[in-house]
Amino acid sequence: MNKNDGGVLLMKRLFIGSLLILLLVGCGNPMQEELLSYINEDLPPLAEKESEVIARYESVTGDNYTNDEVMYAALVDEVQPKYQSFITDLEAVEIEEKEIKTVHEDFIEAANLQHSAFLTVISAIEEQDREKIDEANQKLSKARKMMRQYQVDLKTLAEDNEIEWEKENK
């Protein structure tokens, strides 16, 4: 592996790292209430956790890549276990409404694929296997596509339930 390999692995933050706040426009109903709770209460702590893990990953890839040993140590000691913890927390979110649950399951699937990509990078470094780096990059690309679809589906679900998106002021 070399610096250029790390550059190929640089990934963008997932949607959860750039969450928008939803505000209710109409009267409350169970679907609206649960969707608002999901976005405004369940996802923000997960966003923070995910953002920290991705920031650590980015600190050893791309332009920040120094060598395989540093990248490997960060992946094994921090990125992989913290991302696994993030997935555990993501899977622990309890949802009653079927439509929200379906969208959330897509998010979990994307996160699991991304985690699999991290594990593949670890294996690629251990084995010095260029093909595994390519495999990891394919997984990361697919996970990004899945996450974009999650964003679209979540926004559509909100709009269908008379909830409008409003950017959070920070």
Side-chain angles (χ1 to χ4, degrees):
M1 306 302 121
N2 60 43
K3 183 174 182 160
N4 290 332
D5 294 334
V8 174
L9 293 172
L10 183 63
M11 62 186 198
K12 303 291 181 196
R13 296 200 191 282
L14 291 177
F15 167 70
I16 193 169
S18 60
L19 281 177
L20 300 175
I21 298 297
L22 293 178
L23 294 177
L24 184 60
V25 173
C27 298
N29 66 45
M31 173 64 110
Q32 286 177 329
E33 290 175 15
E34 186 169 21
L35 189 54
L36 286 168
S37 176
Y38 174 71
I39 296 295
N40 293 324
E41 296 170 23
D42 295 332
L43 292 181
L46 293 169
E48 185 175 328
K49 192 171 197 175
E50 186 264 349
S51 182
E52 290 172 10
V53 175
I54 298 305
R56 181 60 179 129
Y57 175 80
E58 291 175 343
S59 77
V60 295
T61 60
D63 290 340
N64 298 316
Y65 176 86
T66 54
N67 61 53
D68 283 355
E69 293 77 26
V70 169
M71 185 176 177
Y72 181 81
L75 286 168
V76 169
D77 297 338
E78 297 175 65
V79 174
Q80 186 281 325
K82 288 180 180 178
Y83 204 80
Q84 180 61 56
S85 175
F86 161 72
I87 289 172
T88 299
D89 292 348
L90 188 62
E91 290 174 338
V93 173
E94 294 182 16
I95 300 169
E96 296 295 322
E97 296 290 334
K98 182 181 177 187
E99 296 90 344
I100 302 169
K101 188 177 281 194
T102 298
V103 171
H104 184 70
E105 289 296 325
D106 292 342
F107 182 30
I108 292 170
E109 185 179 350
N112 277 306
L113 183 59
Q114 182 158 283
H115 184 250
S116 175
F118 293 149
L119 295 173
T120 303
V121 172
I122 291 169
S123 178
I125 294 171
E126 289 171 347
E127 299 171 21
Q128 291 295 295
D129 186 337
R130 179 75 187 149
E131 289 181 18
K132 285 193 176 184
I133 288 292
D134 293 339
E135 178 186 342
N137 286 331
Q138 289 173 4
K139 288 179 180 181
L140 288 171
S141 177
K142 184 174 180 183
R144 280 191 298 271
K145 287 176 187 174
M146 293 169 69
M147 191 53 58
R148 284 191 298 270
Q149 188 60 52
Y150 164 77
Q151 292 173 13
V152 168
D153 293 345
L154 187 60
K155 188 169 185 178
T156 299
L157 188 59
E159 290 169 355
D160 289 349
N161 286 279
E162 300 177 355
I163 296 172
E164 69 180 47
W165 295 89
E166 185 174 297
K167 288 187 180 181
E168 179 180 18
N169 294 323
K170 282 193 174 187

